[in-house]
Amino acid sequence: MTETESVQAIGLKEWAAALDALRQGEQILIMRKGGIREETRDFQVEADSFYLYPTFEHQRKELIKPEYQAAVDRSTENWSPDLTQVALTCYAELVEDILIEDGETLAKLAGEHIWTDRFAEERLKWKKAKPLHVMLLRVYELENPATIEIREEYNGCKSWISLPGEMLQDVPRKPVLSDEEFNRKVERIRSLLQ
């Protein structure tokens, strides 16, 4: 590798409160339609494994079920738009990308995530012609959070970002759920959707 080349890692942006639920094993899914600044104007899976990059700007407590709203407060306790660094705590492997096109199917997953029914339905209805991606993730917690510089290109409404891979290489991580627990959750979601 030359001096001008650098190791890149990919990151997927997600609300910090949702990352908290993923890290705690309370949910194994996220929902995606795409950000306003997506190059293709809609969401596409760009990697099968990636770091989860926490976002804070668009989190709203009223869009999260009451029992999970404290996660918004915890995540924003020391947050400011002026911060220059962010801590990465999670890595994920995509197990399945389920495309959902109707509210009836989406409603079957209501007990499997932290968002309100209203918010889930709004995500589905946005860009009506495009399906909602429900991504089942095997999540790993980094044994030591990796603190990285917040770059200008990380800002804005886009899903995928390039992270400094040299800072993330060889960071030990462990699954947040055992194989048995994780497989049980995956099977429950699949059975709900049958």
Side-chain angles (χ1 to χ4, degrees):
M1 182 182 330
T2 67
E3 283 185 41
T4 56
E5 291 179 305
S6 64
V7 177
Q8 292 293 308
I10 194 159
L12 179 64
K13 295 170 65 177
E14 182 56 82
W15 288 6
L19 296 188
D20 186 59
L22 290 166
R23 193 173 63 250
Q24 300 300 323
E26 294 171 339
Q27 73 180 39
I28 63 166
L29 66 84
I30 58 173
M31 296 181 281
R32 273 290 184 283
K33 264 285 178 99
I36 295 165
R37 288 180 48 200
E38 303 291 356
E39 286 183 23
T40 61
R41 313 281 302 157
D42 63 288
F43 181 80
Q44 294 182 0
V45 174
E46 292 187 13
D48 290 334
S49 59
F50 39 85
Y51 290 89
L52 293 166
Y53 183 92
T55 63
F56 306 89
E57 300 88 349
H58 302 298
Q59 297 186 117
R60 295 199 345 245
K61 285 170 79 169
E62 67 270 17
L63 301 178
I64 294 177
K65 294 173 186 168
E67 62 269 31
Y68 298 106
Q69 289 180 356
V72 174
D73 293 332
R74 283 193 306 273
S75 71
T76 56
E77 224 167 53
N78 298 311
W79 177 78
S80 154
D82 300 323
L83 288 179
T84 58
Q85 295 184 319
V86 66
L88 303 182
T89 60
C90 294
Y91 181 82
E93 294 172 348
L94 176 62
V95 172
E96 192 169 346
D97 180 26
I98 301 167
L99 301 180
I100 294 185
E101 300 188 23
D102 63 272
E104 184 179 314
T105 303
L106 181 60
K108 294 176 181 179
L109 298 177
E112 304 301 314
H113 58 77
I114 66 168
W115 296 287
T116 63
D117 293 344
R118 182 182 125 222
F119 179 68
E121 191 70 28
E122 284 174 4
R123 278 238 168 140
L124 176 65
K125 288 179 179 175
W126 189 62
K127 294 185 178 182
K128 283 185 179 185
K130 304 289 183 183
L132 179 69
H133 292 256
V134 172
M135 301 171 70
L136 304 188
L137 303 180
R138 181 73 194 262
V139 177
Y140 299 81
E141 184 172 22
L142 304 186
E143 290 187 12
N144 295 301
T147 301
I148 63 168
E149 176 188 357
I150 298 173
R151 298 179 180 172
E152 181 62 33
E153 63 263 26
Y154 298 166
N155 297 327
C157 294
K158 57 186 168 186
S159 299
W160 299 100
I161 56 176
S162 292
L163 300 172
E166 64 278 357
M167 297 200 58
L168 300 168
Q169 281 183 316
D170 305 319
V171 176
R173 53 189 181 241
K174 59 181 185 237
V176 299
L177 294 170
S178 69
D179 291 348
E180 184 180 304
E181 291 171 305
F182 178 75
N183 290 333
R184 189 168 53 245
K185 285 181 179 271
V186 169
E187 288 311 312
R188 184 170 66 233
I189 288 170
R190 287 177 177 157
S191 68
L192 287 169
L193 295 176
Q194 286 181 348

